[in-house]
Amino acid sequence: MNTSKFFGIALMGTLLLSSCYQPDVVMHTNISDDSWTPCKREITYSNVMPRQMRDSLWGETSIGWSHPLPECLNVDAFMSTHTEIGKDDTVSTTFWSIWGSAEEMSEQIPLQLNGTRLRSKASLKKQFRWFHTNYIFTETFFCVGDTFKLADTLYADKALISYWFTGEPNLVKGLSGAEASQKLSEIEPAINRWLNDNLLAVGFDYIVNHYESIPSPPVSKERFVELHDSLVQFIIAAGDDLLSFKPEDKLHAFFHSDAYDIFFNDETTLGKGLTGELENKLNIFWFNVPYTLTMPGTVIDAGNGSLQADGSILYSFTGERLIPKDYTITATSRVTNIWAYIVSLFIILIAPGSMLYRQKRKMS
């Protein structure tokens, strides 16, 4: 019988291959001081083209062939696309759109999780300072922590949860390596319990919702629900390693029946359904789309991002950062107003002549 590992390494490996955890998927936002095209957003992703397809398109640089689209992308948010073949059979596709404002751009965010579009709110502010103008861009991606039935704050303090998933606040600042390791070792068990309990809850609820599909259940649906706490304690008490844990074995031991095996067989409809439910919960951990930002002028504050050699800013944008709270990126750049220097120089140059002219008129 082909059984799933519930939330073990087999399922996680499958998710890793099928989800949006791909370093070659990048979202780039370009903010310009051009009032006609102030905001441009593009997504670029790539993969390797099958050799037969490459041979049939030899010599071409732009093609209409559509390679597999990552599940995290919502291409309806884009107006234009371009696909080209690069080195080593790599096919890259870029989608892009130009928006009249940051607010309009954020309303059409091109990223999604489990088929649901992520939500964000962006703004672009200008601060005129005569000799220069500051551009302040901010985009906040809304929290998706409600994906999980059990709140993480039931297992640890908010600050600990936030640090684990986002790195903020920095709870290991000033600590030695040994002290930082000790701090992390205190947080990790709580996070593991939170995730384990949530995944167990998914499995339990799924069985309850499909209980009528069980041919000869050892107990009634009502009794199964009543035994929830006892079953969870039985599973936890076993202390099995997460990667080797098989829920069907625990249900065998607890109910002395194999009636629930159909939920853990990937060849059955119910088994596929449960695996899909678990995937929806775990997909958030595989979501990883590097976010790059280009600002007009010179960047003077990259926020929580890192300034790159080409002048762009790179932000780590992962699903984990959306679990405890909203995730905000912000950057400030400065554009020198050359015309202001010219005007100022002109005023300085004509000021003495203007004074002499007025004095001459008074004397005449």
Side-chain angles (χ1 to χ4, degrees):
M1 181 174 62
N2 181 22
T3 59
S4 73
K5 291 274 188 124
F6 201 53
F7 47 96
I9 193 170
L11 177 59
M12 289 188 174
T14 300
L15 289 172
L16 188 61
L17 295 175
S18 64
S19 70
C20 201
Y21 184 74
Q22 301 175 75
D24 53 0
V25 177
V26 178
M27 182 168 73
H28 181 71
T29 299
N30 183 75
I31 303 300
S32 171
D33 54 358
D34 181 357
S35 60
W36 293 100
T37 57
C39 302
K40 179 181 180 181
R41 173 162 283 168
E42 61 184 29
I43 286 276
T44 299
Y45 75 98
S46 60
N47 63 5
V48 178
M49 172 183 284
R51 183 169 296 275
Q52 292 180 347
M53 178 66 70
R54 181 207 62 181
D55 293 341
S56 66
L57 295 166
W58 184 84
E60 298 189 32
T61 59
S62 182
I63 60 176
W65 176 71
S66 177
H67 49 129
L69 187 70
E71 294 181 359
C72 62
L73 297 188
N74 177 5
V75 297
D76 293 336
F78 296 102
M79 296 184 293
S80 304
T81 180
H82 177 73
T83 300
E84 64 180 26
I85 305 174
K87 297 180 179 179
D88 302 322
D89 304 339
T90 298
V91 181
S92 296
T93 296
T94 299
F95 297 92
W96 75 90
S97 287
I98 297 176
W99 305 98
S101 69
E103 289 77 10
E104 291 178 357
M105 180 178 66
S106 64
E107 289 176 358
Q108 297 296 326
I109 185 170
L111 300 175
Q112 59 187 14
L113 184 64
N114 295 326
T116 300
R117 185 189 299 228
L118 296 180
R119 296 184 301 126
S120 76
K121 183 176 182 181
S123 65
L124 176 61
K125 298 179 180 179
K126 300 180 183 179
Q127 296 178 337
F128 177 67
R129 296 292 186 268
W130 184 249
F131 289 113
H132 65 264
T133 300
N134 290 337
Y135 288 77
I136 305 172
F137 176 75
T138 301
E139 183 163 16
T140 298
F141 295 89
F142 296 162
C143 172
V144 294
D146 58 359
T147 299
F148 300 95
K149 181 177 181 179
L150 303 174
D152 47 23
T153 50
L154 297 174
Y155 296 78
D157 179 80
K158 284 185 177 180
L160 294 177
I161 296 293
S162 179
Y163 173 69
W164 183 265
F165 289 120
T166 72
E168 298 175 352
N170 187 359
L171 300 182
V172 298
K173 183 178 181 180
L175 299 182
S176 67
E179 292 168 339
S181 177
Q182 176 64 30
K183 173 66 71 173
L184 293 175
S185 67
E186 295 172 357
I187 304 175
E188 186 173 12
I191 300 298
N192 286 338
R193 286 195 302 272
W194 165 74
L195 179 58
N196 291 348
D197 287 355
N198 270 291
L199 296 178
L200 286 172
V202 170
F204 188 88
D205 291 345
Y206 186 86
I207 293 176
V208 170
N209 293 334
H210 297 82
Y211 210 82
E212 289 73 15
S213 300
I214 304 174
S216 301
V219 297
S220 67
K221 179 178 180 179
E222 292 72 22
R223 180 55 179 163
F224 184 81
V225 173
E226 292 175 354
L227 291 172
H228 172 271
D229 292 345
S230 298
L231 176 60
V232 171
Q233 290 300 320
F234 177 78
I235 294 174
I236 294 176
D240 289 347
D241 180 79
L242 177 64
L243 299 182
S244 62
F245 171 72
K246 290 187 176 181
E248 61 270 30
D249 292 345
K250 302 305 173 187
L251 290 169
H252 279 172
F254 189 84
F255 290 103
H256 305 289
S257 169
D258 61 0
Y260 304 103
D261 284 3
I262 55 175
F263 292 100
F264 308 102
N265 185 344
D266 291 336
E267 297 178 352
T268 68
T269 300
L270 291 174
K272 293 177 181 178
L274 177 54
T275 297
E277 292 290 324
L278 293 169
E279 287 180 353
N280 288 340
K281 302 303 179 183
L282 291 173
N283 271 336
I284 192 172
F285 295 100
W286 312 136
F287 181 94
N288 183 359
V289 179
Y291 183 123
T292 60
L293 172 67
T294 299
M295 296 287 290
T298 302
V299 175
I300 59 176
D301 185 357
N304 58 353
S306 57
L307 191 62
Q308 305 299 292
D310 62 359
S312 66
I313 309 171
L314 174 63
Y315 299 88
S316 296
F317 184 35
T318 62
E320 291 186 8
R321 285 174 167 79
L322 298 176
I323 292 177
K325 58 183 179 181
D326 297 344
Y327 177 63
T328 300
I329 68 167
T330 184
T332 303
S333 66
R334 178 166 296 171
V335 174
T336 301
N337 298 325
I338 302 297
W339 61 265
Y341 283 90
I342 296 175
V343 171
S344 299
L345 180 61
F346 180 74
I347 293 174
I348 292 174
L349 292 176
I350 68 171
S354 178
M355 293 178 61
L356 290 173
Y357 176 75
R358 288 197 297 269
Q359 291 177 356
K360 187 176 180 180
R361 292 196 58 180
K362 289 181 179 179
M363 294 176 62
S364 59

